[in-house]
Amino acid sequence: MNELTLGAYILIWPALTLWVLIKICRGVWKDIVAAKKENRELV
């Protein structure tokens, strides 16, 4: 592997992790807003 490919391979994992974290946080935020709208507890 050349250096560019290896660097891209290493740097893609933090980007994927950040993307998954954003998706999880967005889902939790939607649940919180929906719970407040329906005047119920989240858990």
Side-chain angles (χ1 to χ4, degrees):
M1 270 191 211
N2 64 11
E3 292 175 3
L4 182 62
T5 306
L6 185 59
Y9 178 75
I10 291 171
L11 292 176
I12 195 70
W13 296 110
L16 287 174
T17 303
L18 180 64
W19 181 74
V20 169
L21 180 64
I22 289 171
K23 293 296 249 182
I24 290 171
C25 289
R26 189 172 173 205
V28 169
W29 183 255
K30 280 183 173 181
D31 287 345
I32 291 171
V33 170
K36 279 188 176 182
K37 189 179 274 185
E38 296 172 3
N39 199 20
R40 61 178 170 85
E41 293 185 19
L42 184 60
V43 178

